[in-house]
């Protein structure tokens, strides 16, 4: 019987670059359908169930949703941190000439959307959400550009990946600085002491991955209780993982390879299920034309496109960098549109920005709409360039 089942197509799909994006999109649709069905209440109650352990000295009892948002997402941020460090050591960010264009484009693609949001929400109670349209979702953006295949230059995908990684670093800094609550210095000192230990492990050539991950769990605990968002712990630990000067697979690369599939096929889809659990109602639809909704949608679509294109243009014209190989300025407009797919990080920042549940739901819905517009426009625009070239 087993011989009659052909797993080749399934294995090929799982190993493809767009599989994670398709699964993520499917989970968004499933979550929205359930949230607007008779099963909505039970679905929501599942994520609000409290699990864990607590005592007088240890507090680890949280809802399922909080474990996903603060616990599992720390692993996502660990992977992001590993990708950032690898790019800084040996990738597209390893030299000033290589790094200039994606860094400058990412900065422009973060500042312009934030500026649009602030302009529309300056005197509104929603002004604190300016960080929402700054982010680019790596999984979705790369999934869409991968679907384009040979219709776009291969260098464009590398540029988008590097830009999204820098974008994530900017988002992490924004979360750490602007979206953290009151800080408790004692816990920060504990976390800092363990960080020094991991740095020492790196300096003395300790290559056992568990020597970094086990103390990393304690860093997560102390950062979580310090007032800084717990997911930042993942990035901090990632920066201490050692690399190798030659082609030998380093501990950093081993851990990155080990985390890619669990993150793409479990953690991010689960995050999508828990956080796009949005019950649509009239106020939310009308909220798309409110300063909050317009700030996010216009920030993601127009802000990202203008910011990425304009700063790339200035960077190339001032000879700080060159365009990606075989790419033209119209390609950069298309990449700018794909940069407007905010999803994971934007939804994450939405939850940190507001205390009012209605604002959070409206922000999430606006992120979905803005990301959808950006993704579809970017895909069809880049696809049309390929048709004109034939």
């Amino acid at each position: 019987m087993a011989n009659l089942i052909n797993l080749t197509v399934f294995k090929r799909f799982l190993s493809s670059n767009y599989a994670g994006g398709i699964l993520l999109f499917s989970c968004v649709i499933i979550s929205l359908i359930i949230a607007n069905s008779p099963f909505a209440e039970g679905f929501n109650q599942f994520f609000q169930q409290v699990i864990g352990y607590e005592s007088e000295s240890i507090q680890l009892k949280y809802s399922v949703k909080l474990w996903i948002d603060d616990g599992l997402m720390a692993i996502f941020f660990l992977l992001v941190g590993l990708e950032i460090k690898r790019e800084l050591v040996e990738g597209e960010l390893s030299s000033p000439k290589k790094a200039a264009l994606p860094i400058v484009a990412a900065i422009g693609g973060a500042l312009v959307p934030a500026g649009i949001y602030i302009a529309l929400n300056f005197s509104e109670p929603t002004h604190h959400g300016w960080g929402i349209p700054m982010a680019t979702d790596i999984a979705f953006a790369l999934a869409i550009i991968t679907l384009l295949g040979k219709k776009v230059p291969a260098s464009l995908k590398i540029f988008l990946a590097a830009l999204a990684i820098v974008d994530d670093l900017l988002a992490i800094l924004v979360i750490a600085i602007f979206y953290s609550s009151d800080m408790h210095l004692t816990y920060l000192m504990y976390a800092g002491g363990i960080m020094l230990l991991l740095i020492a492990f790196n300096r003395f050539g300790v290559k056992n991955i568990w020597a970094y991950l086990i103390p990393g769990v304690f860093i997560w605990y102390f950062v979580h209780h310090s007032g800084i968002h717990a997911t930042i712990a993942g990035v901090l630990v990632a920066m201490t993982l050692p690399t190798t000067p030659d082609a030998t697979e380093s501990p950093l690369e081993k851990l990155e390879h080990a985390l890619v599939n669990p993150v793409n096929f479990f953690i991010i889809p689960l995050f999508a299920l828990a956080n796009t659990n949005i019950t649509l109602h009239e106020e939310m639809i009308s909220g798309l034309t409110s300063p909050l909704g317009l700030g996010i949608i216009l920030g993601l679509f127009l802000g990202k496109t203008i910011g990425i294109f304009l700063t790339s243009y200035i960077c190339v014209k001032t000879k700080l960098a060159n365009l990606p190989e075989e790419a033209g300025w119209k390609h950069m407009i298309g990449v700018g549109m794909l940069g407007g797919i905010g999803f994971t990080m934007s939804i994450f920042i939405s939850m940190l920005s507001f205390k009012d549940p209605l604002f959070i739901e409206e922000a999430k819905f606006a992120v979905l709409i803005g990301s959808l517009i950006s993704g579809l426009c970017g895909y069809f625009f880049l696809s049309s360039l390929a048709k004109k070239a034939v």
Side-chain angles (χ1 to χ4, degrees):
M1 183 66 180
N3 292 332
L4 298 176
I5 302 174
N6 188 351
L7 297 177
T8 305
V9 175
F10 181 68
K11 289 178 180 177
R12 191 179 299 143
F13 170 75
L14 288 180
S15 62
S16 65
N17 290 324
Y18 53 82
I22 291 174
L23 180 59
L24 179 55
F25 182 73
S26 301
C27 286
V28 171
I29 300 301
I30 291 168
S31 185
L32 285 171
I33 291 172
I34 296 175
N36 293 277
S37 75
F39 303 104
E41 187 176 348
F43 190 58
N44 190 53
Q45 283 178 353
F46 167 76
F47 287 113
Q48 295 307 319
Q49 278 189 325
V50 175
I51 58 173
Y53 170 81
E54 68 177 347
S55 66
E56 290 184 6
S57 55
I58 297 174
Q59 172 57 44
L60 281 172
K61 203 167 188 178
Y62 306 111
S63 67
V64 171
K65 186 176 180 300
L66 196 126
W67 275 114
I68 294 169
D69 295 344
D70 285 18
L72 289 180
M73 285 300 285
I75 301 173
F76 164 75
F77 276 82
L78 172 62
L79 178 60
V80 170
L82 294 171
E83 291 172 341
I84 291 170
K85 183 170 181 179
R86 176 173 49 76
E87 290 295 325
L88 287 169
V89 172
E90 58 186 29
E92 289 299 304
L93 306 176
S94 60
S95 69
K97 192 71 173 177
K98 283 184 177 181
L101 191 61
I103 288 176
V104 170
I107 293 171
L111 293 180
V112 176
I116 290 174
Y117 184 94
I118 290 169
L120 291 170
N121 290 267
F122 185 73
S123 58
E124 301 291 331
T126 52
H127 68 276
H128 197 52
W130 56 269
I132 299 170
M134 293 177 69
T136 296
D137 189 285
I138 295 177
F140 262 147
L142 290 185
I144 290 178
I145 203 168
T146 301
L147 286 172
L148 288 164
K150 294 182 179 178
K151 292 181 180 179
V152 295
S155 61
L156 213 60
K157 181 182 174 184
I158 297 170
F159 169 74
L160 179 60
L163 181 148
I165 287 170
V166 176
D167 194 285
D168 271 354
L169 178 58
L170 293 174
I172 289 163
L173 291 173
V174 166
I175 292 169
I177 298 169
F178 298 102
Y179 290 98
S180 295
S181 55
D182 295 334
M183 294 187 194
H184 300 279
L185 291 179
T186 303
Y187 286 114
L188 277 179
M189 288 172 63
Y190 292 155
I194 301 174
M195 271 296 295
L196 290 174
L197 177 66
L198 295 189
I199 292 169
F201 284 169
N202 183 302
R203 297 288 291 177
F204 288 108
V206 176
K207 291 187 167 38
N208 189 315
I209 293 173
W210 290 107
Y212 298 88
L213 293 184
I214 293 174
V217 173
F218 289 92
I219 290 177
W220 175 87
Y221 179 84
F222 291 129
V223 170
H224 184 268
H225 285 75
S226 73
I228 296 175
H229 203 273
T231 50
I232 302 302
V235 181
L236 294 175
V237 174
M239 292 300 158
T240 65
L241 265 289
T243 57
T244 51
D246 51 32
T248 308
E249 189 179 43
S250 66
L252 182 147
E253 290 166 325
K254 286 179 182 177
L255 183 57
E256 185 181 351
H257 294 156
L259 290 178
V260 166
N261 284 342
V263 167
N264 288 339
F265 295 112
F266 176 67
I267 292 174
I268 296 180
L270 189 59
F271 175 83
L273 280 173
N275 289 289
T276 53
N277 174 24
I278 304 168
T279 302
L280 302 179
H281 46 78
E282 190 176 340
E283 291 90 346
M284 192 177 296
I285 304 298
S286 61
L288 293 177
T289 56
S290 68
L292 169 62
L294 286 175
I296 293 172
I297 294 170
L298 295 179
L300 285 173
F301 181 58
L302 288 180
K304 280 287 183 181
T305 305
I306 294 169
I308 290 171
F309 176 81
L310 188 60
T311 48
S312 296
Y313 185 83
I314 294 170
C315 191
V316 171
K317 290 301 179 181
T318 54
K319 300 190 178 185
L320 288 174
N322 300 318
L323 277 175
E325 192 175 347
E326 297 183 8
W329 288 114
K330 289 182 179 178
H331 288 111
M332 300 303 286
I333 294 174
V335 167
M337 292 178 186
L338 293 184
I341 305 173
F343 197 73
T344 307
M345 200 74 81
S346 291
I347 287 178
F348 194 81
I349 296 174
S350 297
M351 296 185 298
L352 300 177
S353 299
F354 309 116
K355 292 181 180 178
D356 188 328
L358 180 60
F359 286 162
I360 294 173
E361 297 300 292
E362 287 182 357
K364 287 181 182 180
F365 189 52
V367 168
L368 290 179
I369 299 300
S371 297
L372 183 63
I373 293 170
S374 298
L376 289 174
C377 289
Y379 177 86
F380 287 115
F381 183 80
L382 288 170
S383 185
S384 70
L385 296 182
K387 290 178 182 176
K388 288 176 183 178
V390 174

